[in-house]
Amino acid sequence: MKNTKVSDRLLTVPASPIRKLVPFAVEAKKKGIKVYHLNIGDPDIKTPEVMINVLKKWTTNPIAYGQSQGQPKFLESLASYYNKLRYSFVKTNHIQVTTGGSEAISMALFSVCAKGEEVIAFEPYYANYNSYAAINGVKIVPVLTKGETGFHLPSRVEIEKKISKKTKAILICNPSNPTGTVYTKDEMEMLVSISVENNLFLISDEVYREFVYDGKKYFSILEFMKKYPDKMILLDSLSKRYSLCGARLGMIVSLNRDLTDGVLRMAQGRLSSGFVDQAMAEKLTEVKDSYFASVHKEYQTRRDVLYKGLKSIKGVYLEKPEGAFYTIVKLPVKDSEDFCQWLLTDFRYKNETVMVAPAAGFYGTKGRGKDEVRIAYVLNINDLKKAIEILRRALVEYNG
Ligand SMILES: Cc1ncc(COP(=O)(O)O)c(C=O)c1O
């Protein structure tokens, strides 16, 4: 009998560099080894109590579908969140609720590109952009950014070199996962100017908006949306902001009517995002500023502990991350994927090890990032210190 074959395009969807070593971590844990997870940005901070209380007091039965655009009360809460950030022009009809920021990425790529068209992104970039590009038949054209410059943008000339007849958009992540870079006002203005002059969409993934350190000023795409309503697209998510990763809620915000109308039609095709999730998340207007203040303080301290600890390891190179809760770190190894796997399969210190993500999967160009890893600082300070110590000892042993 003939083998029934899956599609060629399915084979183009890459494995997530963040999750692909998970089976080795599972095996290690089965053997009773403690694994410190620095590989994935799943925050350990508690979800706000006002949201959890909705679940505790839940009585609605049955749990029905919601509306395709999003639940009206949730949409109102989101609009008031943006208004509080002083973007009072954002109204509920500019917002499409998505099932996680992940769906927002996928819908945005589908919306701006025909099959085979191109989006420029700055590598290293969020690895799942590759997955969603593959799923939607979009080609990501990478522009290199470098550790030595804190992964800030190259010159306008370097960026414009990559624009072709097929380019439809520039996709940025600000603050950046995986680099922790926060783009300056000048950088944002340059990107806006490139997008306007070349008639491109500028898509900004701002799921880490609140995570900007050292009092650095942050420039959202929302600053430019009113002036260029057809071109600016914001991708957003509640996952990190309110420690709601499992609630699966994100959004697309745009003043481009063709875009929001089309996205709504796609959203109708998948019926609705989670009804319970939205009921919980609509309480975001009741989350006190002190919640963010303490979360922010905690992450900035973690960033400092991680930076200081890693800097003190021989052969390790990194610049101080400015935002989000990730950093790309150069290690004294030739093949970081081999090292990351070895950490899980062979190395133990006091019966513990760490899991980090090999960085190659965050690059669009083959061969890049082979001596780098991405580290997520989502552990409490005590565990983070232990994980750094394990990494220090592991590098000594790995390099013989
Ligand atoms: C840059 C970036 N965008 C989008 C997402 C998707 O988040 P979610 O689907 O949980 O909203 C993530 C998750 O880690 C991310 O890091």
Side-chain angles (χ1 to χ4, degrees), residues 53-164:
N53 284 341
V54 174
L55 297 184
K56 286 184 182 161
K57 295 179 187 156
W58 189 266
T59 53
T60 308
N61 189 349
I63 293 171
Y65 287 122
Q67 296 192 18
S68 295
Q69 189 199 342
Q71 291 304 92
K73 276 195 181 159
F74 180 46
L75 286 165
E76 269 164 35
S77 293
L78 290 172
S80 70
Y81 163 80
Y82 292 116
N83 293 175
K84 199 173 159 195
L85 292 177
R86 54 191 185 80
Y87 305 113
S88 53
F89 63 88
V90 178
K91 310 286 181 216
T92 54
N93 62 329
H94 304 130
I95 306 172
Q96 169 65 52
V97 173
T98 56
T99 304
S102 303
E103 191 185 39
I105 297 165
S106 190
M107 284 181 165
L109 290 176
F110 182 88
S111 302
V112 304
C113 286
K115 209 164 171 240
E117 287 185 325
E118 297 173 357
V119 168
I120 286 176
F122 299 95
E123 65 179 356
Y125 51 75
Y126 178 49
N128 291 337
Y129 293 161
N130 284 331
S131 322
Y132 289 113
I135 289 166
N136 291 294
V138 171
K139 184 175 168 201
I140 294 196
V141 176
V143 175
L144 181 66
T145 62
K146 295 180 180 161
E148 304 91 88
T149 55
F151 298 101
H152 278 277
L153 297 180
S155 69
R156 181 178 184 127
V157 176
E158 288 301 312
I159 300 169
E160 287 191 320
K161 258 193 218 161
K162 300 287 177 134
I163 297 176
S164 78

Side-chain angles (χ1 to χ4, degrees), residues 285-304:
T285 49
E286 292 171 34
V287 177
K288 298 211 168 67
D289 290 345
S290 57
Y291 174 83
F292 288 119
S294 70
V295 171
H296 184 273
K297 191 165 163 231
E298 174 67 21
Y299 275 108
Q300 185 163 311
T301 311
R302 290 176 182 190
R303 191 271 319 250
D304 292 342

Side-chain angles (χ1 to χ4, degrees), residues 100-102 105 126 129 173 177 205 207-208 237 239-240 248 326:
S102 303
I105 297 165
Y126 178 49
Y129 293 161
C173 181
N177 173 10
D205 177 342
V207 313
Y208 299 97
S237 165
S239 289
K240 320 288 165 161
R248 312 307 305 129
Y326 307 93

